[in-house]
Amino acid sequence: MRRALVGLGAVAGLLVLAGCGIRATTVPVDVGAAPSRVSCDTPARPAGESGVQGFRATLELVCGSQLVGVDRVVPVPEKRVVRDPVVLVAQALLEALEKAPSGEERDAGFTTGVPDGLTAGPARPGDPTGTVRLSRKPEDLPPVALAQVVCTLSASDAVSAGSGPVVLGGPDADPPRAWECTDAVRSRPESVPTLGELVRPGTSPSAGSGS
């Protein structure tokens, strides 16, 4: 696979040209007395396919009723002028999560629950650094979709430094909340806490939030 570095302003270090596929994983699925298995694996892109301009990221898709991280090159949004690199990356990740998996991915068991039209916006005055304001209240999203968003954004170095909770708010003035991507969330995304830890102005989210 061809890999070449490209630049893009504040997030230049994240951008690449690549044509890589999905990381192979096998996840057990309980369907009765004996578990069956889905491959959660799709073939790499054809060698002759042109690369995608964007940045490398791990998207959390649903496979076998669990969240499974897939390595992608995420295209950068072209129609939005965004000065904040955190918002730019978050928007790109949301658009990637909203997109239906390819036919090969669906055959391998991948789905996504993130609804179309979900967008990322800048923090409001007084929000903690790194807050992402969504176009819908996070707690109003379907639990699986919220789990996908939380785990995908929290794994991004540009959004949450790749560790710890991710701070999300809605379009209104309600204080943002912090959610953490735990093993329990990944294994049972439908049970992600509806409300994260409330984050007041001037405070920082702490590990172990989301209860």
Side-chain angles (χ1 to χ4, degrees):
M1 291 177 280
R2 297 172 298 174
R3 300 178 180 176
L5 228 38
V6 298
L8 183 68
V11 291
L14 296 175
L15 305 183
V16 295
L17 291 176
C20 58
I22 304 299
R23 184 176 61 205
T25 310
T26 299
V27 179
V29 186
D30 292 330
V31 291
S36 63
R37 289 182 178 271
V38 290
S39 68
C40 296
D41 182 25
T42 59
R45 292 178 180 176
E49 183 176 341
S50 59
V52 175
Q53 189 175 35
F55 60 91
R56 295 191 182 281
T58 299
L59 299 183
E60 296 292 340
L61 299 182
V62 182
C63 191
S65 300
Q66 302 179 29
L67 296 188
V68 177
V70 298
D71 295 330
R72 292 279 185 84
V73 174
V74 177
V76 175
E78 298 179 353
K79 298 181 180 179
R80 295 188 60 183
V81 178
V82 180
R83 296 181 179 179
D84 186 345
V86 172
V87 176
L88 176 66
V89 172
Q91 178 62 34
L93 292 173
L94 291 178
E95 291 180 7
L97 286 172
E98 293 170 3
K99 186 177 181 181
S102 67
E104 292 87 352
E105 290 169 349
R106 290 194 300 270
D107 291 342
F110 287 103
T111 62
T112 183
V114 178
D116 292 337
L118 186 64
T119 59
R124 298 173 64 91
D127 285 348
T129 301
T131 296
V132 175
R133 287 278 178 174
L134 302 179
S135 56
R136 291 177 57 180
K137 288 185 177 181
E139 57 267 30
D140 289 344
L141 292 172
V144 171
L146 177 58
Q148 286 185 256
V149 171
V150 167
C151 287
T152 297
L153 295 186
S154 65
S156 169
D157 289 337
V159 178
S160 69
S163 62
V166 59
V167 182
L168 302 175
D172 54 21
D174 288 348
R177 294 177 179 271
W179 279 266
E180 188 176 9
C181 181
T182 64
D183 290 341
V185 170
R186 290 179 57 85
S187 62
R188 296 183 60 84
E190 76 284 353
S191 63
V192 63
T194 302
L195 292 178
E197 177 188 7
L198 195 63
V199 182
R200 297 291 183 181
T203 64
S204 300
S206 58
S209 63
S211 57

